[in-house]
Amino acid sequence: MNMMIGALMPSAKLWGDMMRMGIEAQFVMTLRTAGMLGLLPHGKNENTLMVSEKTDAVRESFGAAFRSAARGARADQILAAALKPYGRRTRANARRLGTRL
């Protein structure tokens, strides 16, 4: 039984990370939309930033996934490595935009 629980832990952490990123992404989208509508302060470069950060995240994500796969990592480890750049950005955006409230 303990061995089975131990085998599920990486998947549970991965699901938790994905849920956190989803919640942070919704928060960021809400704050950015409110900023575009003039309801909240909105930085001059915010619209450009929300497009350019995605290309950077994709590049970093692919690189991390390929490096992880080249080292012979398991599928869940490859996915975790690929999600890390997105997680850093959603967390940073949520903190940065949340301080304007």
Side-chain angles (χ1 to χ4, degrees):
M1 181 71 171
N2 285 340
M3 190 182 310
M4 192 168 99
I5 292 172
L8 294 176
M9 289 308 290
S11 296
K13 181 180 179 341
L14 190 57
W15 273 103
D17 290 344
M18 287 191 291
M19 286 191 313
R20 178 192 50 80
M21 283 178 23
I23 291 167
E24 288 170 345
Q26 289 295 317
F27 180 66
V28 168
M29 288 169 33
T30 300
L31 293 178
R32 282 180 167 163
T33 302
M36 285 186 260
L37 293 172
L39 302 173
L40 290 174
H42 191 67
K44 289 189 295 187
N45 298 329
E46 195 63 40
N47 295 342
T48 304
L49 180 62
M50 73 181 163
V51 174
S52 65
E53 71 186 4
K54 288 172 183 53
T55 57
D56 294 339
V58 166
R59 182 179 33 79
E60 290 176 27
S61 178
F62 280 3
F66 288 138
R67 282 189 301 277
S68 185
R71 281 187 242 124
R74 296 185 322 262
D76 64 312
Q77 293 169 327
I78 296 169
L79 182 56
L83 288 176
K84 217 172 259 190
Y86 292 107
R88 279 195 306 269
R89 281 182 172 74
T90 57
R91 187 177 300 118
N93 284 337
R95 286 182 182 155
R96 179 175 54 81
L97 294 170
T99 59
R100 295 180 186 175
L101 296 178

